[in-house]
Amino acid sequence: VVVDRRVASTLVSPIISALRGEALHMKSSFLLDKRGYKIGSDKLTIVDNPRQYGKVGAKLFDNEGIAVVGMPIVEGGVLKNYYISNYMSKKMGVPMTQGGSTILEFGLGENDTAEMIRKLGRGVYITGFNGGNCNGTTGDFSFGIEGYWVENGVIIKPISEMLMTGNMLTLWGNLVDMSNDPLGYTAWKLPSLMFMDITIN
């Protein structure tokens, strides 16, 4: 499966939500007690880098007026930091980091999206998600998808009314590649994503 960069936020959003102090405090996060552990494949690296003047998502201070300096979120699949605001830090009795995501930068691969589709060989190129949800506590998800069927690295026909199901930790553990052409006009600099062993019905 290749997930286009323009819709990859559907799969990234559950991770960012599960990193928030509020979800951790309520024990409604599938990433609870996962700091220092693998939550994805070696290909997964995410850095929060807020101090980029003039760019979408740039910040000097969070919503509590506290300076943000950025931090690694995931390195080589290992979870490094949660989003812990000053308020949640005091409530939970843990060190503060920052209140929420700013500019997210992802580790990139060597190929653009078109080349990733060619490398896919046989599978599905997802260009849209139509409904569905992810359980923030368990990480189980079910999303309606649309896109194209690919054979021998060539787009053959459109597909729709299909479901992509699984668990977030398993999904990100099956990440095999990321494109080198991330979005440049949003706060999340998302590349296209390639996964193996994904259940699509």
Side-chain angles (χ1 to χ4, degrees):
V1 169
V2 171
V3 179
D4 190 86
R5 57 189 178 163
R6 291 167 293 182
V7 298
S9 60
T10 297
L11 302 181
V12 174
S13 291
I15 291 181
I16 303 306
S17 295
L19 293 174
R20 294 182 60 84
E22 292 82 355
L24 300 169
H25 180 63
M26 296 296 292
K27 300 188 184 304
S28 59
S29 167
F30 64 89
L31 295 179
L32 182 67
D33 298 326
K34 291 290 195 295
R35 187 168 61 180
Y37 291 89
K38 292 274 284 188
I39 65 165
S41 79
D42 293 343
K43 296 287 186 179
L44 182 60
T45 292
I46 307 173
V47 175
D48 194 300
N49 188 11
R51 290 177 170 261
Q52 300 186 57
Y53 181 77
K55 292 190 177 181
V56 176
K59 288 184 179 180
L60 296 179
F61 303 93
D62 65 16
N63 292 336
E64 296 174 304
I66 296 173
V68 291
V69 295
M71 59 186 182
I73 304 300
V74 182
E75 287 184 350
V78 177
L79 179 60
K80 293 296 185 178
N81 281 296
Y82 293 116
Y83 286 109
I84 308 293
S85 66
N86 182 52
Y87 172 76
M88 292 308 303
S89 170
K90 293 177 179 178
K91 192 164 187 172
M92 297 168 65
V94 298
M96 181 189 72
T97 55
Q98 65 187 49
S101 68
T102 61
I103 298 176
L104 294 184
E105 298 176 334
F106 292 74
L108 303 178
E110 297 180 355
N111 302 300
D112 63 16
T113 300
E115 182 61 25
M116 283 181 65
I117 294 170
R118 286 191 286 271
K119 288 178 60 181
L120 176 63
R122 183 174 186 266
V124 175
Y125 171 41
I126 297 174
T127 59
F129 288 97
N130 298 320
N133 61 80
C134 176
N135 185 312
T137 303
T138 65
D140 293 333
F141 65 83
S142 176
F143 297 118
I145 64 168
E146 63 182 37
Y148 299 92
W149 181 253
V150 177
E151 289 277 1
N152 298 317
V154 178
I155 291 175
I156 300 298
K157 61 182 179 181
I159 62 167
S160 62
E161 298 183 4
M162 300 184 75
L163 282 178
M164 176 179 172
T165 59
N167 181 271
M168 279 288 155
L169 292 175
T170 303
L171 173 75
W172 288 100
N174 290 338
L175 178 71
V176 294
D177 204 0
M178 305 175 95
S179 72
N180 64 2
D181 53 356
L183 293 177
Y185 52 83
T186 65
W188 293 6
K189 310 304 181 185
L190 294 167
S192 295
L193 310 168
M194 180 185 283
F195 300 95
M196 64 178 183
D197 298 331
I198 305 304
T199 301
I200 294 179
N201 301 305

